[in-house]
Amino acid sequence: QQPIILKVHSFSSPQAPEAVYQMLPWIEKVNKESNGRLKVEFYPSMQLGGKTSDLIQQLEDGVVDIVMMNPGVAPNRFPVLQGTELPFTNVGTSAGQTPAMLEWVNKWLLKNEFKGIKIIHMHATDAAVLHTRTKKIETAADLKGLKIRVPGRFVGEAMKSLGATPVGLPLSDIYESLQRGQIDGMTINWAIMTPYKLQEVTKFNMETPFYQNAIMSLMSQASYDKLPADLKKVIDDNIGIAYSTEVAKKIDELTVPAKKTIADSGNTLYSLSPEELAKWRAAMAPVYKLWIAEMDKKGLPGQAMFDDLLATTAKYGRK
Amino acid sequence: MRSSPIPPGRRTMEAACRAVALVGCVALVAVMLVVVASVLGSNLFRHPILGDTEIVDSLTGVVVFCFLPWCHLHGGNVIVDFFAKPLPRVVRDWLDVVMNLAFAVVAGVIAWRLMAGGLSAFTREQASMFLEIPEWWVYAVGSLTSVLWIVVILYVAYESVLRARGRLSAPADEVQFG
Amino acid sequence: MDRFDIGLLMFVAALALIALRMTVAGAMLLVGGLGYAAINGWLPLLSTLKTITYSKFANNGLSVLPLFLLMGEFASRGGMNARLFRTARAWLGHWRGGLAVATIGGCAAFGAICGSSLATAATMSQVALPEMRKSGYSPALATGTLAAGGTLGILIPPSVILVVYAVYTEQSVGALFVAAVIPGLIAVVQYMIVVNLFTRLVPGSAGSLARASWRERLVATQEVWPILTVFGLIVAGIYLGWFSPTEGAAVGAFVTMLFAIVQGGMRFKGFVECLLAAGQTTAMMFLIMLAAELFSAALASSRMPAELAGHVAALNADPLVVMFFIVVVYFILGCFMESLSMVLLTLPVFIPLLLTLDFGLSHDAKLVWFGILVLMSVEVGMVSPPFGLNLFLINSLAKDVPMRETYIGVLGFCLMDFIRVALLILFPIVCLWLPGLR
Ligand code: NA
Ligand code: NA
């Protein structure tokens, strides 16, 4: 009997942490537990064509069965989910905040942005912070006129309200853009710094946690429904909050070594002063308002969702 | 061999392609100016332009779409005339007819899918990250110009039919391509 | 027929259609699309086609190409190219093949600021091609020089491919750039040798003039300040981080436009002609790149590279034999694929294979060495006849040159490429010495 092929299309390379610690082991495990009746195949780096923003449509159109992506690349497809990336709403560890994210998503989003989609895994990355090329950022005024690469729209709005100009850029282009001074800095989580060698092209790395990115692997419900019951069980055995938290723990293990590598390469790691941090937090108010207003426009209870987000992340130890 | 100097319909084709290509020219100039403004903004005035790359994204799409018909009409799409060279001229002309018809089918599928993609970009409200430039209007430009693109490909096939039947001499640039 | 066979068949079919005078883009779109549908089904193909065209065309990353093309058009319209080459002629014209040698040098200089083979070939063609032709260079030598010279855009660092490779293999981008320097310089010297041999072996392939007097040289040199200013501005600007290559291209186009209006007497009609010419080549190249993307998506789903790698690993052959085999695979893929997507497709299968082989090198040295080999092999694919994106680009810019001439002209350069790749396989020290790896 021919095995059932499931195609995984991913924005990341096979060396990226989310591939190494989630997707590749997951594929191996599922293939094994299905006794060879499932053949999950990994297509990294957009090998099947298109831009990262096309991934979700490829999933929904049935081009592929599973995608790995972050919500920021499809700005209008996951506006609600991007609420979890609002700065200072969820700063903590990956393992700490991942259950919070999933709990909130399960409560508010399953009938909404995740209709027709089965969440294989989703995690909040370790803390994403501000890294700059040549200029140490000690106050928001230092950001004026700088171009900062951001992963998504709301982090971009946050940068705007601090005075910087946000730039969208694929992960693979960051290194060269920083090296040539095309951008002055970026916000990105620690774990991704060293695989992409970004310590080589930044000098100042702010340790003050800013936000946490969402990374997710999604399966099309249609692809899942086509599977026989025992194979559905294989999938179901390998998803859920506990599973995602296991992945998140591995991501957390990368933070300290990454910081050490960065520091050893001669970079300056530093923190915002408490007074300045308070100012930055205050500057986020219009960004939160923007997100809430957008939810309201969609007929969703924006304020209630936002309050619940803060309550949930606080319950899981937000700092 | 009796040949008419200008095949019927050529002038109409030229005019239509030129009109569409001129829109592409405007977009190309706009690309240049936006990027120059962005350089000046971030270097001279320390005030980078928000979303400059998003504008260039859309405009580059317009440039390419508007030049597809013009490019094919003027033999801009590369043909490798190396292996078919030993064949008699008339065989090569008929080959051109067949290959242009096949290309027209390809272009037809692309045009059809562009329309479908534009519709879905519209309903999904796909837009760029910061300026929220909607994607659908570039799709719309592409859908419109690719209709002309298909017509041009069919027209080029028709010219090859005329040529194969000895009613038209080989075009100047084709001869030179040798 | 399994998907591996479909993958193989795709190459044969595309080759056949192109040989039968289908446009290169059309053949690759047709075969790529049919292959994709045969492997994945019609519905996935139709869905993919919904977004792939927009993603490829509405792409500011590729806008560097039309902008450099436009700069070239303005430069020739404004007579700047002619002046530049009058000067080059005054200094080098009495040497056999002097202009072609100067072109190689120009490509290398341009390659030091630009990471794209196609953009380098496009820009340098517009500068050098008309003038070489006017000076009596044979079409074969002129177009061959430019096709090969274009690859210096990517062989000389910086190079996008090496950045992607560094991320894949967790190597330092800096080390890879440094490692690429000596092989890149070897390529420059080799290409200059080819030009020299070509002019010796094919009499009358390059015009040679009487030695110009010092006075003539000085007069000619005075004329070139505009283009040198523009070139200097772009090089300095990109190095100093004022602008990216795309921005450099836009600024270059804008400034050459002003020169063409003020100095070259360009009027509205000429302006539009420049735009039309740049737009036409842009449409041609973007369509080929769209076709290459569809083709490589089909190839990725055929899992052909993975299966090939599996077969090779099973042979337990000598590591050097495996390495030669990998290089040949790159030569073949290079026929139909754009260099970056080729690298993205093959690294996940070749890197694990490479790591099982023992060449007596350290882990890092092995990966850096392989990176340079990949870089070189990928570029050979782009200039080796009969199919190569650089060849198609040059040939479309050189409207009056038959493709056959370009093939003949580029052969010698390809031979040098093969020699260099073989040299690098046998003597890894060539690239490892400078970054101090072993
Ligand atoms: Na380069
Ligand atoms: Na080739």
Side-chain angles (χ1 to χ4, degrees), chain A residues 55-62 65 67 69 77-81 105-120 122 216 218-225 298 300, chain B residues 124:
Chain A
L55 277 170
I56 188 67
Q57 197 171 352
Q58 292 178 347
L59 184 79
E60 290 173 334
D61 284 346
D65 306 289
V67 295
M69 62 181 290
R77 180 59 183 78
F78 291 107
V80 190
L81 179 60
V105 165
N106 286 340
K107 184 163 169 188
W108 296 100
L109 292 185
L110 290 188
K111 290 199 181 104
N112 183 300
E113 284 175 0
F114 287 91
K115 208 155 65 180
I117 288 174
K118 201 168 178 63
I119 300 176
I120 298 288
M122 180 185 289
M216 56 201 186
L218 309 173
M219 183 170 186
S220 120
Q221 186 70 41
S223 299
Y224 173 83
D225 288 344
K298 291 182 188 298
L300 295 167
Chain B
R124 299 169 72 100

Side-chain angles (χ1 to χ4, degrees), chain A residues 197, chain C residues 165 169-172 175-176 179 354-355 361-371 431-432 435-438:
Chain A
K197 312 277 168 217
Chain C
Y165 183 88
T169 55
E170 308 195 337
Q171 293 302 307
S172 152
L176 278 157
L354 178 82
L355 293 179
L361 295 170
S362 73
H363 178 83
D364 286 355
K366 185 158 76 176
L367 284 171
V368 166
W369 171 56
F370 187 64
C431 67
L432 297 179
L437 291 164
R438 47 192 301 131

Side-chain angles (χ1 to χ4, degrees), chain C residues 22-68:
Chain C
M22 190 164 194
T23 58
V24 173
M28 286 165 66
L29 279 168
L30 185 62
V31 173
L34 291 176
Y36 194 98
I39 295 164
N40 301 309
W42 286 100
L43 213 60
L45 171 71
L46 293 178
S47 305
T48 299
L49 289 177
K50 255 163 74 177
T51 52
I52 194 173
T53 314
Y54 174 88
S55 306
K56 204 72 205 170
F57 290 177
N59 188 332
N60 95 85
L62 293 178
S63 62
V64 65
L65 200 59
L67 290 171
F68 271 134

Side-chain angles (χ1 to χ4, degrees), chain B residues 23-24 27 57-67 137-138 141, chain C residues 57-58:
Chain B
V23 177
D57 270 341
S58 309
L59 287 174
T60 307
V62 173
V63 172
V64 179
F65 282 128
C66 288
F67 272 103
W137 74 269
V138 180
V141 171
Chain C
F57 290 177

Side-chain angles (χ1 to χ4, degrees), chain A residues 15 41-42 50 54 180 197, chain C residues 3 55 171 238 241 293:
Chain A
Q15 271 71 26
E41 292 178 346
F42 188 47
D54 298 337
R180 290 164 170 271
K197 312 277 168 217
Chain C
R3 44 188 181 168
S55 306
Q171 293 302 307
I238 293 175
E293 173 139 333

Side-chain angles (χ1 to χ4, degrees), chain A residues 176 180, chain C residues 107-117 120 151-160:
Chain A
E176 219 189 333
R180 290 164 170 271
Chain C
C107 286
F110 197 81
I113 59 165
C114 174
S116 153
S117 181
T120 307
T151 64
L152 293 173
I154 218 147
L155 296 181
I156 305 257
S159 149
V160 183

Side-chain angles (χ1 to χ4, degrees), chain C residues 235-255:
Chain C
V235 173
I238 293 175
Y239 261 129
L240 296 174
W242 296 345
F243 32 74
S244 65
T246 306
E247 290 171 340
V251 172
F254 188 75
V255 176

